[in-house]
Coordinates of all heavy atoms in Angstrom, one line a residue:
A12 N 0.8 -1.2 0.0 CA 0.0 0.0 0.0 C 0.9 1.2 0.0 O 1.9 1.2 0.6 CB -0.9 0.0 1.2
T13 N 0.5 2.3 -0.7 CA 1.2 3.5 -0.7 C 0.7 4.5 0.3 O -0.5 4.6 0.4 CB 1.1 4.2 -2.1 OG1 1.6 3.2 -3.1 CG2 1.9 5.4 -2.2
L14 N 1.5 5.1 1.0 CA 1.2 6.1 2.1 C 1.8 7.4 1.7 O 3.0 7.5 1.5 CB 1.7 5.6 3.4 CG 1.5 6.4 4.6 CD1 0.0 6.6 4.9 CD2 2.2 5.9 5.8
I15 N 1.0 8.4 1.5 CA 1.4 9.7 1.2 C 1.1 10.7 2.3 O 0.0 10.9 2.7 CB 0.7 10.3 -0.1 CG1 1.0 9.3 -1.3 CG2 1.2 11.7 -0.4 CD1 0.2 9.6 -2.5
L16 N 2.2 11.2 2.9 CA 2.1 12.2 4.0 C 2.3 13.6 3.6 O 3.4 13.9 3.0 CB 3.1 11.8 5.1 CG 2.9 10.4 5.7 CD1 4.0 10.1 6.8 CD2 1.6 10.3 6.4
G17 N 1.4 14.5 3.9 CA 1.5 15.9 3.5 C 2.3 16.7 4.5 O 2.8 17.7 4.2
N18 N 2.5 16.1 5.7 CA 3.2 16.8 6.8 C 4.0 15.7 7.6 O 3.7 14.5 7.6 CB 2.2 17.4 7.8 CG 1.4 18.5 7.1 OD1 2.0 19.4 6.6 ND2 0.1 18.4 7.2
D19 N 5.0 16.2 8.3 CA 5.8 15.3 9.2 C 4.8 14.9 10.3 O 3.9 15.7 10.7 CB 6.9 16.1 9.9 CG 8.0 16.5 8.9 OD1 7.9 16.1 7.7 OD2 8.9 17.2 9.3
G20 N 4.9 13.7 10.9 CA 4.1 13.4 12.0 C 4.2 11.9 12.3 O 4.8 11.1 11.7
Y21 N 3.5 11.6 13.4 CA 3.4 10.2 13.9 C 2.3 9.5 13.2 O 1.2 9.9 13.0 CB 3.0 10.3 15.4 CG 3.0 8.9 16.1 CD1 4.2 8.3 16.5 CD2 1.8 8.3 16.4 CE1 4.1 7.1 17.1 CE2 1.7 7.1 17.0 CZ 2.9 6.5 17.4 OH 2.8 5.3 18.0
V22 N 2.7 8.3 12.7 CA 1.8 7.4 11.9 C 1.6 6.1 12.7 O 2.6 5.5 13.2 CB 2.3 7.2 10.5 CG1 1.4 6.2 9.7 CG2 2.5 8.5 9.8
Q23 N 0.4 5.6 12.7 CA 0.1 4.4 13.3 C -0.8 3.5 12.4 O -1.7 4.1 11.7 CB -0.7 4.6 14.6 CG -0.8 3.3 15.5 CD -1.4 3.6 16.8 OE1 -2.5 4.3 16.9 NE2 -0.7 3.2 17.9
A24 N -0.5 2.3 12.2 CA -1.2 1.3 11.4 C -1.6 0.1 12.2 O -0.7 -0.5 12.8 CB -0.5 1.0 10.1
K25 N -2.8 -0.3 12.2 CA -3.3 -1.4 13.0 C -4.1 -2.3 12.1 O -4.8 -1.9 11.2 CB -4.1 -1.0 14.2 CG -3.3 -0.3 15.2 CD -4.2 0.0 16.4 CE -3.4 0.7 17.5 NZ -4.1 0.8 18.8
V26 N -4.0 -3.6 12.3 CA -4.8 -4.6 11.6 C -5.9 -5.1 12.6 O -5.7 -5.4 13.7 CB -3.9 -5.9 11.2 CG1 -4.8 -6.9 10.6 CG2 -2.9 -5.4 10.3
Y27 N -7.2 -5.1 12.0 CA -8.4 -5.5 12.7 C -9.0 -6.7 12.0 O -9.0 -6.7 10.7 CB -9.4 -4.4 12.8 CG -8.9 -3.2 13.7 CD1 -8.2 -2.2 13.1 CD2 -9.2 -3.2 15.0 CE1 -7.7 -1.1 13.9 CE2 -8.8 -2.1 15.8 CZ -8.0 -1.1 15.2 OH -7.6 0.0 16.0
D28 N -9.6 -7.6 12.7 CA -10.4 -8.6 12.0 C -11.8 -8.0 11.7 O -12.1 -6.8 12.0 CB -10.6 -9.9 12.8 CG -11.4 -9.8 14.1 OD1 -12.1 -8.8 14.3 OD2 -11.3 -10.7 14.9
M29 N -12.6 -8.7 11.0 CA -13.9 -8.1 10.5 C -14.9 -7.9 11.6 O -15.9 -7.3 11.4 CB -14.5 -8.9 9.3 CG -13.5 -8.9 8.1 SD -13.0 -7.3 7.6 CE -14.3 -6.8 6.6
T30 N -14.6 -8.4 12.8 CA -15.5 -8.1 13.9 C -15.1 -6.8 14.7 O -15.7 -6.4 15.6 CB -15.6 -9.3 14.9 OG1 -14.3 -9.4 15.5 CG2 -16.0 -10.6 14.2
G31 N -14.0 -6.3 14.3 CA -13.5 -5.0 14.9 C -12.4 -5.3 16.0 O -11.9 -4.4 16.6
R32 N -12.0 -6.6 16.2 CA -11.0 -6.9 17.2 C -9.6 -6.6 16.6 O -9.3 -6.9 15.5 CB -11.1 -8.4 17.5 CG -10.1 -8.8 18.6 CD -10.4 -10.3 19.0 NE -10.2 -11.2 17.9 CZ -9.0 -11.9 17.7 NH1 -8.0 -11.8 18.5 NH2 -8.9 -12.7 16.6
E33 N -8.9 -5.8 17.4 CA -7.5 -5.5 17.0 C -6.6 -6.7 17.0 O -6.6 -7.5 18.0 CB -6.9 -4.4 17.9 CG -5.5 -4.0 17.5 CD -4.9 -3.0 18.5 OE1 -5.7 -2.1 19.0 OE2 -3.7 -3.0 18.7
I34 N -5.9 -7.0 15.9 CA -5.1 -8.1 15.8 C -3.6 -7.8 16.1 O -2.9 -8.5 16.8 CB -5.2 -8.7 14.3 CG1 -6.6 -9.1 14.0 CG2 -4.2 -9.9 14.2 CD1 -7.2 -10.2 14.9
E35 N -3.2 -6.6 15.5 CA -1.8 -6.3 15.6 C -1.5 -4.8 15.2 O -2.2 -4.3 14.3 CB -0.9 -7.2 14.7 CG 0.5 -7.0 14.7 CD 1.3 -8.0 13.8 OE1 0.6 -8.8 13.1 OE2 2.5 -8.0 13.9
T36 N -0.6 -4.2 15.9 CA -0.1 -2.9 15.5 C 1.1 -3.2 14.6 O 2.1 -3.8 15.0 CB 0.3 -2.0 16.7 OG1 -0.8 -1.8 17.5 CG2 0.9 -0.7 16.2
V37 N 1.0 -2.8 13.3 CA 2.1 -3.1 12.4 C 3.0 -1.9 12.1 O 4.1 -2.1 11.5 CB 1.5 -3.6 11.0 CG1 0.9 -5.0 11.3 CG2 0.6 -2.6 10.4
L38 N 2.6 -0.7 12.6 CA 3.4 0.5 12.4 C 3.1 1.5 13.4 O 1.9 1.8 13.7 CB 3.2 1.1 11.0 CG 3.9 2.3 10.6 CD1 5.4 2.1 10.5 CD2 3.4 2.9 9.3
A39 N 4.1 2.1 14.1 CA 3.9 3.1 15.1 C 5.2 3.9 15.1 O 6.1 3.5 15.9 CB 3.5 2.6 16.4
D40 N 5.3 5.0 14.4 CA 6.6 5.7 14.3 C 6.4 7.1 13.7 O 5.3 7.4 13.1 CB 7.6 4.9 13.4 CG 9.0 5.1 13.7 OD1 9.3 6.1 14.5 OD2 9.9 4.4 13.3
S41 N 7.4 7.9 13.8 CA 7.3 9.3 13.3 C 7.9 9.2 11.9 O 8.9 8.5 11.6 CB 8.1 10.2 14.1 OG 7.4 10.4 15.3
F42 N 7.3 9.9 10.9 CA 7.7 10.0 9.6 C 7.8 11.4 9.1 O 7.0 12.3 9.5 CB 6.8 9.2 8.6 CG 6.9 7.7 8.8 CD1 6.2 7.1 9.8 CD2 7.7 7.0 8.0 CE1 6.2 5.7 9.9 CE2 7.8 5.6 8.1 CZ 7.1 5.0 9.1
R43 N 8.7 11.7 8.1 CA 8.8 13.0 7.5 C 7.8 13.0 6.3 O 7.4 11.9 5.8 CB 10.2 13.2 7.0 CG 11.2 13.3 8.2 CD 12.5 13.9 7.8 NE 12.3 15.2 7.3 CZ 12.5 16.3 8.0 NH1 12.8 16.3 9.3 NH2 12.4 17.5 7.4
R44 N 7.4 14.2 5.9 CA 6.5 14.3 4.8 C 7.1 13.6 3.6 O 8.3 13.6 3.4 CB 6.5 15.8 4.5 CG 5.8 16.2 3.3 CD 5.9 17.7 3.0 NE 5.4 18.0 1.7 CZ 4.9 19.1 1.4 NH1 4.9 20.1 2.2 NH2 4.4 19.3 0.2
G45 N 6.2 12.9 2.8 CA 6.7 12.2 1.6 C 5.8 11.0 1.3 O 4.7 10.8 1.9
T46 N 6.3 10.2 0.4 CA 5.6 9.0 -0.1 C 6.3 7.8 0.4 O 7.5 7.7 0.2 CB 5.4 9.0 -1.6 OG1 4.7 10.2 -2.0 CG2 4.6 7.8 -2.1
Y47 N 5.6 6.8 0.9 CA 6.1 5.6 1.4 C 5.4 4.4 0.9 O 4.2 4.5 0.7 CB 6.1 5.6 3.0 CG 6.9 6.7 3.6 CD1 6.3 7.9 3.8 CD2 8.2 6.5 4.0 CE1 7.0 9.0 4.4 CE2 8.9 7.6 4.6 CZ 8.3 8.8 4.8 OH 9.0 9.8 5.3
I48 N 6.1 3.3 0.8 CA 5.4 2.0 0.4 C 5.3 1.2 1.8 O 6.3 1.1 2.4 CB 6.3 1.2 -0.6 CG1 6.5 2.0 -1.9 CG2 5.6 -0.2 -0.8 CD1 5.2 2.3 -2.6
M49 N 4.1 0.8 2.1 CA 3.9 0.1 3.3 C 3.5 -1.4 3.0 O 2.5 -1.6 2.4 CB 2.8 0.8 4.1 CG 2.6 0.2 5.5 SD 1.4 1.1 6.5 CE -0.1 0.8 5.6
N50 N 4.4 -2.3 3.5 CA 4.1 -3.7 3.4 C 3.4 -4.2 4.7 O 3.9 -3.9 5.7 CB 5.3 -4.5 3.1 CG 6.0 -4.2 1.8 OD1 5.3 -4.1 0.8 ND2 7.3 -4.0 1.8
I51 N 2.3 -4.9 4.5 CA 1.6 -5.3 5.7 C 2.1 -6.7 6.0 O 1.9 -7.7 5.2 CB 0.0 -5.4 5.4 CG1 -0.5 -4.0 5.0 CG2 -0.7 -5.9 6.6 CD1 -1.9 -4.0 4.4
P52 N 2.7 -6.9 7.2 CA 3.2 -8.2 7.5 C 2.1 -9.1 7.9 O 1.2 -8.8 8.7 CB 4.1 -8.0 8.7 CG 3.7 -6.7 9.3 CD 3.1 -5.9 8.2
T53 N 2.0 -10.3 7.3 CA 0.9 -11.2 7.6 C 1.4 -12.5 8.3 O 0.6 -13.4 8.5 CB 0.2 -11.6 6.3 OG1 1.1 -12.2 5.4 CG2 -0.5 -10.4 5.6
D54 N 2.6 -12.5 8.7 CA 3.1 -13.7 9.5 C 2.3 -13.8 10.8 O 2.1 -12.8 11.4 CB 4.6 -13.5 9.8 CG 5.5 -13.5 8.6 OD1 5.0 -13.9 7.5 OD2 6.6 -13.0 8.7
G55 N 1.8 -14.9 11.1 CA 1.0 -15.1 12.3 C -0.4 -14.7 12.2 O -1.1 -14.8 13.2
I56 N -0.9 -14.3 11.0 CA -2.3 -14.0 10.8 C -2.9 -15.1 10.0 O -2.4 -15.5 8.9 CB -2.4 -12.6 10.1 CG1 -1.8 -11.5 10.9 CG2 -3.9 -12.4 9.8 CD1 -1.9 -10.1 10.2
S57 N -4.0 -15.6 10.5 CA -4.7 -16.7 9.8 C -5.4 -16.2 8.5 O -5.6 -15.0 8.3 CB -5.8 -17.3 10.7 OG -5.3 -17.7 11.9
S58 N -5.7 -17.2 7.6 CA -6.4 -16.8 6.4 C -7.7 -16.1 6.8 O -8.4 -16.5 7.8 CB -6.7 -18.1 5.6 OG -5.5 -18.7 5.1
G59 N -8.1 -15.1 6.0 CA -9.4 -14.4 6.2 C -9.3 -13.0 5.7 O -8.4 -12.6 5.1
R60 N -10.4 -12.3 6.0 CA -10.5 -10.9 5.6 C -10.2 -10.0 6.8 O -10.7 -10.3 7.9 CB -11.9 -10.6 5.1 CG -12.1 -11.4 3.8 CD -13.4 -11.0 3.1 NE -13.6 -9.6 2.9 CZ -13.1 -8.9 1.9 NH1 -12.2 -9.4 1.1 NH2 -13.3 -7.6 1.7
Y61 N -9.5 -8.9 6.6 CA -9.1 -8.0 7.6 C -9.2 -6.5 7.2 O -9.4 -6.3 6.0 CB -7.6 -8.2 8.0 CG -7.4 -9.6 8.6 CD1 -7.1 -10.7 7.7 CD2 -7.5 -9.9 9.9 CE1 -6.9 -12.0 8.2 CE2 -7.4 -11.1 10.4 CZ -7.1 -12.2 9.6 OH -6.9 -13.5 10.1
M62 N -9.0 -5.6 8.1 CA -8.9 -4.2 7.8 C -7.6 -3.6 8.3 O -7.2 -4.0 9.4 CB -10.1 -3.4 8.5 CG -11.4 -3.7 8.0 SD -11.8 -3.2 6.3 CE -11.9 -1.4 6.5
I63 N -6.9 -2.8 7.5 CA -5.8 -2.1 8.0 C -6.3 -0.7 8.2 O -6.9 -0.1 7.3 CB -4.6 -2.2 7.0 CG1 -3.4 -1.4 7.5 CG2 -4.9 -1.7 5.6 CD1 -2.5 -2.1 8.4
V64 N -6.0 -0.1 9.3 CA -6.4 1.3 9.7 C -5.2 2.1 9.9 O -4.4 1.7 10.8 CB -7.4 1.3 10.9 CG1 -7.7 2.7 11.3 CG2 -8.6 0.4 10.6
V65 N -5.0 3.1 9.1 CA -3.8 4.0 9.2 C -4.3 5.3 9.7 O -5.2 5.9 9.1 CB -3.1 4.1 7.8 CG1 -1.8 4.9 8.0 CG2 -2.7 2.7 7.3
S66 N -3.6 5.9 10.7 CA -4.0 7.2 11.2 C -2.8 8.0 11.5 O -1.7 7.6 11.8 CB -4.8 7.0 12.5 OG -4.1 6.3 13.5
S67 N -3.0 9.4 11.3 CA -1.9 10.3 11.6 C -2.6 11.7 11.6 O -3.4 12.1 10.8 CB -0.9 10.3 10.5 OG 0.1 11.3 10.7
L68 N -2.2 12.5 12.6 CA -2.5 13.9 12.7 C -4.0 14.2 12.4 O -4.4 15.1 11.5 CB -1.7 14.7 11.7 CG -0.2 14.7 12.0 CD1 0.6 15.3 10.8 CD2 0.2 15.3 13.3
G69 N -4.9 13.5 13.0 CA -6.3 13.8 12.9 C -7.0 13.1 11.7 O -8.2 13.3 11.5
W70 N -6.3 12.4 10.8 CA -7.0 11.6 9.8 C -6.9 10.2 10.0 O -6.0 9.7 10.7 CB -6.5 12.1 8.4 CG -5.1 11.9 8.1 CD1 -4.1 12.8 8.2 CD2 -4.4 10.7 7.7 NE1 -2.9 12.3 7.9 CE2 -3.0 10.9 7.6 CE3 -4.8 9.4 7.4 CZ2 -2.1 10.0 7.2 CZ3 -3.9 8.4 7.0 CH2 -2.6 8.8 6.9
R71 N -7.8 9.4 9.4 CA -7.8 8.0 9.5 C -8.3 7.3 8.2 O -9.3 7.8 7.7 CB -8.7 7.6 10.7 CG -8.8 6.2 11.1 CD -9.5 6.2 12.4 NE -10.3 5.0 12.5 CZ -10.4 4.3 13.6 NH1 -9.8 4.6 14.6 NH2 -11.1 3.2 13.6
V72 N -7.7 6.3 7.7 CA -8.1 5.6 6.5 C -8.1 4.1 6.8 O -7.2 3.6 7.4 CB -7.1 5.9 5.4 CG1 -7.5 5.1 4.1 CG2 -7.0 7.4 5.0
A73 N -9.2 3.5 6.4 CA -9.3 2.0 6.6 C -9.5 1.4 5.2 O -10.2 1.8 4.3 CB -10.6 1.7 7.4
K74 N -8.7 0.3 5.0 CA -8.7 -0.5 3.7 C -8.8 -1.9 4.1 O -8.1 -2.5 4.9 CB -7.5 -0.2 2.9 CG -7.2 1.2 2.5 CD -8.1 1.5 1.3 CE -7.7 2.9 0.8 NZ -8.4 3.2 -0.4
P75 N -9.7 -2.6 3.4 CA -9.8 -4.1 3.6 C -8.7 -4.8 2.8 O -8.2 -4.3 1.8 CB -11.2 -4.4 2.9 CG -11.4 -3.4 1.9 CD -10.7 -2.2 2.4
F76 N -8.3 -6.0 3.3 CA -7.4 -6.9 2.6 C -7.7 -8.3 3.1 O -8.3 -8.5 4.1 CB -5.9 -6.4 2.9 CG -5.4 -6.7 4.3 CD1 -4.6 -7.9 4.5 CD2 -5.6 -5.9 5.3 CE1 -4.1 -8.2 5.7 CE2 -5.1 -6.1 6.6 CZ -4.4 -7.3 6.8
A77 N -7.1 -9.2 2.3 CA -7.4 -10.6 2.6 C -6.0 -11.4 2.7 O -5.0 -11.0 2.0 CB -8.2 -11.3 1.5
V78 N -6.0 -12.4 3.6 CA -4.9 -13.2 3.7 C -5.3 -14.6 3.2 O -6.3 -15.1 3.7 CB -4.3 -13.3 5.2 CG1 -3.2 -14.3 5.3 CG2 -3.9 -11.9 5.6
D79 N -4.6 -15.2 2.3 CA -5.0 -16.5 1.7 C -3.8 -17.4 1.8 O -2.8 -17.1 1.2 CB -5.4 -16.3 0.3 CG -5.9 -17.6 -0.3 OD1 -6.4 -18.5 0.4 OD2 -5.9 -17.7 -1.6
R80 N -3.8 -18.4 2.7 CA -2.7 -19.3 2.9 C -2.9 -20.5 2.1 O -3.8 -21.0 1.8 CB -2.6 -19.6 4.4 CG -2.5 -18.4 5.2 CD -1.1 -18.4 5.8 NE -1.0 -17.2 6.7 CZ -0.2 -16.2 6.4 NH1 0.7 -16.3 5.4 NH2 -0.1 -15.2 7.2

């Protein structure tokens, strides 16, 4: 997934199952303004459908993804 930051700031990305249960925090760090490629680690996550929720500086984006083993 591509992450485009308009400002420097703290970014957090979490994986949730489709019931809303938090599975894992996959990113929690400060970044400078710019474009980043974010790989979602799926080691230890069972097959199924999930949501990745990325948030920073008052905005939040959720995207579905699937793990197929």
Side-chain angles (χ1 to χ4, degrees):
T13 302
L14 178 62
I15 301 170
L16 299 176
N18 296 305
D19 296 355
Y21 183 78
V22 178
Q23 190 172 55
K25 294 185 177 190
V26 174
Y27 294 87
D28 67 16
M29 295 312 276
T30 67
R32 183 174 61 99
E33 182 180 325
I34 303 297
E35 182 178 6
T36 298
V37 294
L38 179 68
D40 208 345
S41 293
F42 287 86
R43 297 195 57 98
R44 173 186 173 154
T46 302
Y47 298 87
I48 301 298
M49 185 173 69
N50 294 314
I51 303 168
T53 59
D54 299 340
I56 298 177
S57 300
S58 293
R60 295 187 52 77
Y61 298 90
M62 294 291 288
I63 181 87
V64 178
V65 182
S66 58
S67 178
L68 300 172
W70 59 264
R71 184 172 147 134
V72 176
K74 297 280 185 175
F76 72 98
V78 175
D79 186 24
R80 303 250 179 241

